[in-house]
Amino acid sequence: MDLNSGDTAWVLASTALVLLMTPGLAFFYGGMTQAKSTLNMMMMSFITICIVSVLWVVYGFSLAFTDSGSGLIGTISKSGLGTAVNELTNNGGPYGIPLLAFAGFQLMFAVITPALISGAIADRTKFLTWGVFVALWVTLVYFPVAHWVFYFGNKAADGTVTGAGWLAAKGVEDFAGGTAVHINAGAAGLALAIVLGRRIGFKKNPTRPHNLPLVLMGAGLLWFGWFGFNAGSALGANATAALALMNTQVATAAALGGWLLVEKIRDGHPTSLGAASGAVAGLVAITPACAFIAPWAAVLLGVLAGAVCSLAVGLKYKLNYDDSLDVVGVHMVGGIVGCLFIGFFGSSAVNAVGIDGLFYGGGWKLLGLQALGAFSVLAYSFVVTLILGFLLEKTLGFRISRDAELEGIDLTEHAETAYDFEGALGGGFGSGSVATKTKVALRADEEVPA
Amino acid sequence: MKLVTAIIKPFKLDDVKSALEAYGIQGMTVSEASGYGRQRGHTEVYRGAEYTVDLVPKVRLEVLVEDDDADSVVEVVVKSAQTGRIGDGKVWTVPVETVARVRTGERGPDAL
């Protein structure tokens, strides 16, 4: 197969789109925290870009996307990516795109997945431990799970496929990462929320989002980037990409409406946080299903995901775990809804690669496969993260001190604050500002005016 | 002399200011404040969870007046700040020992 410039261009552009989702997530989460911990929240996302990108080149891509024969994890044969230069992609079949374009695209998935987890442990996580956790978690959880779900093996010229990940080989349908990204991150978020414990004032004196416009902007950026996430997963500029794009749009729109409908009926008011949350719930749910169902079914999935997730975020108050920004309620629950939905509405007429679900005469087979995919990833991620979390808690310590949490994690972990609250006019005549100016003048060896 | 302090709804500031100017008051100090009285704040709902917001934004307005004017100024503020709904605010006066104008050093009523 020759290089296809149209396909390659789309995958390169999609890579940039998916990268933007991580800063978008930082805004989405950052607006939901208190003013005193917003920078830390955003930094938890940004640091994943740093750590995971480096690990990806060193061994991450190789562990996820090479053939070891086990179906559980790859090899280190492509460490450093030196041998990948000038190679074309073969993932269950040949693609006309450079292997490095595929590797770059998949890297962005590996970056955002641990970033998603950070929302469960807002306001209280030691930054150093978080960094160590991200490195260990992608190695022990994300790279193997990506291998299970996203690696379709090496297809030889005679048509034999070897080494596919065990879930991919069984035929579990997850187009863009409902299991490997969202259920994975959601289950890990639940585990860490349990390890770190509840924030001071959970339920008794809860904190409200400090900047909802930031949340809405983050949701908008996520939505924009998600077209790369879902439609880019077609690995080509083709009809499958168009289907994924359309389904992504309508499911998200419908989920936004579904969430607001529940709010209007239950609380009396449709809220902006509800609109942002509903959109993200829809994006999560359509992710596995986007290339396997018809657009009208995507609308149905969207409404369902918006309504179910808006009810699921209340679970933490009943079960007493502080999943601060609802990673479980939105990503784990939304991911499960999307994965199982394919079992009912999946159609081989829509995508010849897929098989028919329950409503298309395919029987229970596909639903069974989807449940296996969803719950095996959930269980593996939850158990490994729980163990990893407790080990880090016992060694490095995972949670900041009570005083630091009260004072604000931005100041204690980063020596910064997001906003200048000095003085009624924005700090123009605050004593701190004057002191700063004096210091700058002295440093430049200028004379201080008498 | 007396210090009249008023806590009012922020959107009534322009009305109160105009009314005080019409009465002949020449200066005032205004600052942002927050607090609550009998209305006890309000509730907001985020992702289905209710939050009670105790401290409501208010404007604090301070005017220095001569003893004879104090009652009338209180009256002017009450009239112009009133909406009749809960949370309209409070006005009070306290005696002031002395006042000095910084520019000239004038003391007492001359400094008002």
Side-chain angles (χ1 to χ4, degrees):
Chain A
M1 188 156 196
D2 293 329
L3 186 132
N4 180 310
S5 60
D7 290 346
T8 304
W10 170 235
V11 173
L12 293 174
S14 291
T15 304
L17 283 170
V18 184
L19 168 68
L20 187 62
M21 289 170 65
T22 299
L25 182 76
F27 286 127
F28 182 69
Y29 280 168
M32 269 189 269
T33 61
Q34 304 168 78
K36 65 183 179 183
S37 49
T38 184
L39 289 176
N40 172 258
M41 192 73 256
M42 299 182 78
M43 279 289 282
M44 284 171 87
S45 282
F46 270 82
I47 197 68
T48 67
I49 304 178
C50 158
I51 295 169
V52 181
S53 298
V54 173
L55 292 182
W56 192 248
V57 169
V58 177
Y59 59 80
F61 175 75
S62 189
L63 284 184
F65 290 98
T66 55
D67 173 5
S68 71
S70 67
L72 295 174
I73 191 155
T75 66
I76 52 167
S77 60
K78 284 209 160 55
S79 287
L81 290 180
T83 56
V85 181
N86 294 326
E87 203 177 318
L88 287 183
T89 305
N90 187 332
N91 190 22
Y95 289 87
I97 59 172
L99 187 56
L100 284 183
F102 177 68
F105 179 67
Q106 284 293 341
L107 162 60
M108 301 313 166
F109 288 61
V111 164
I112 196 169
T113 308
L116 289 170
I117 303 170
S118 65
I121 49 172
D123 302 342
R124 59 194 189 282
T125 308
K126 271 189 186 167
F127 193 66
L128 176 73
T129 313
W130 169 248
V132 173
F133 170 82
V134 168
L136 292 172
W137 189 83
V138 289
T139 305
L140 297 172
V141 181
Y142 185 80
F143 299 156
V145 170
H147 185 79
W148 302 356
V149 177
F150 291 144
Y151 186 57
F152 290 90
N154 202 47
K155 191 176 189 182
D158 61 1
T160 53
V161 178
T162 52
W166 74 278
L167 289 175
K170 277 190 183 302
V172 172
E173 294 183 9
D174 180 359
F175 194 70
T179 56
V181 175
H182 296 289
I183 294 175
N184 198 355
L190 178 59
L192 284 196
I194 292 168
V195 172
L196 270 83
R198 297 180 284 274
R199 285 171 297 175
I200 299 164
F202 177 71
K203 285 212 283 194
K204 261 185 289 177
N205 187 17
T207 58
R208 56 184 174 144
H210 91 283
N211 189 337
L212 287 169
L214 213 59
V215 175
L216 286 163
M217 188 182 73
L221 287 174
L222 282 166
W223 195 334
F224 179 75
W226 223 293
F227 289 121
F229 200 88
N230 286 357
S233 290
L235 298 182
N238 52 35
T240 309
L243 174 68
L245 184 141
M246 177 52 77
N247 281 348
T248 302
Q249 174 62 18
V250 295
T252 307
L256 195 164
W259 190 300
L260 291 186
L261 202 64
V262 169
E263 284 191 337
K264 178 68 188 162
I265 294 166
R266 184 187 57 195
D267 313 322
H269 299 280
T271 67
S272 63
L273 181 61
S277 311
V280 173
L283 289 162
V284 169
I286 195 62
T287 293
C290 62
F292 297 115
I293 61 175
W296 63 265
V299 174
L300 207 63
L301 171 56
V303 175
L304 186 70
V308 170
C309 291
S310 71
L311 296 169
V313 295
L315 275 178
K316 63 181 178 184
Y317 299 112
K318 292 202 174 67
L319 300 177
N320 254 323
Y321 60 91
D322 187 3
D323 169 19
S324 318
L325 310 181
D326 299 311
V327 183
V328 177
V330 175
H331 293 274
M332 194 175 97
V333 173
I336 292 172
V337 168
C339 280
L340 297 184
F341 191 86
I342 305 170
F344 296 97
F345 287 89
S347 159
S348 60
V350 169
N351 187 339
V353 176
I355 62 173
D356 286 326
L358 188 61
F359 295 162
Y360 284 85
W364 296 94
K365 180 175 183 245
L366 184 54
L367 186 61
L369 282 173
Q370 294 306 105
L372 172 74
F375 293 105
S376 57
V377 170
L378 195 161
Y380 177 76
S381 175
F382 181 78
V383 170
V384 176
T385 310
L386 201 61
I387 295 168
L388 179 60
F390 273 118
L391 288 178
L392 286 173
E393 169 67 27
K394 293 287 169 230
T395 50
L396 294 173
F398 221 142
R399 187 164 172 162
I400 57 172
S401 71
R402 186 188 158 83
D403 285 353
E405 191 179 330
L406 289 172
E407 188 169 3
I409 191 167
D410 284 0
L411 195 61
T412 58
E413 288 291 294
H414 306 287
E416 285 181 298
T417 44
Y419 306 99
D420 186 354
F421 287 131
E422 266 174 37
L425 301 178
F429 54 81
S431 59
S433 299
V434 173
T436 310
K437 278 178 199 155
T438 310
K439 208 169 165 187
V440 171
L442 285 173
R443 203 178 290 152
D445 291 321
E446 284 169 22
E447 275 184 31
V448 182
Chain B
M1 291 161 296
K2 291 207 162 135
L3 172 66
V4 182
T5 304
I7 303 293
I8 59 172
K9 286 185 167 168
F11 71 88
K12 293 301 279 182
L13 176 61
D14 275 349
D15 292 347
V16 176
K17 203 162 125 271
S18 307
L20 285 173
E21 276 163 7
Y23 179 82
I25 298 296
Q26 291 183 322
M28 65 187 71
T29 304
V30 175
S31 46
E32 287 175 25
S34 51
Y36 64 87
R38 270 190 261 172
Q39 93 272 29
R40 299 298 307 194
H42 61 265
T43 55
E44 297 180 2
V45 182
Y46 295 98
R47 282 185 172 168
E50 271 197 15
Y51 295 77
T52 308
V53 180
D54 277 335
L55 302 174
V56 185
K58 295 284 173 192
V59 159
R60 177 195 187 101
L61 184 143
E62 287 158 308
V63 189
L64 283 164
V65 295
E66 292 199 48
D67 287 351
D68 294 349
D69 287 325
D71 272 348
S72 323
V73 167
V74 169
E75 189 75 16
V76 167
V77 173
V78 167
K79 271 198 179 139
S80 56
Q82 210 166 56
T83 67
R85 287 189 296 276
I86 199 158
D88 268 356
K90 300 258 187 300
V91 190
W92 63 88
T93 66
V94 286
V96 171
E97 265 182 37
T98 186
V99 175
R101 174 172 280 123
V102 173
R103 177 169 57 86
T104 57
E106 287 164 286
R107 290 292 185 115
D110 290 341
L112 291 180

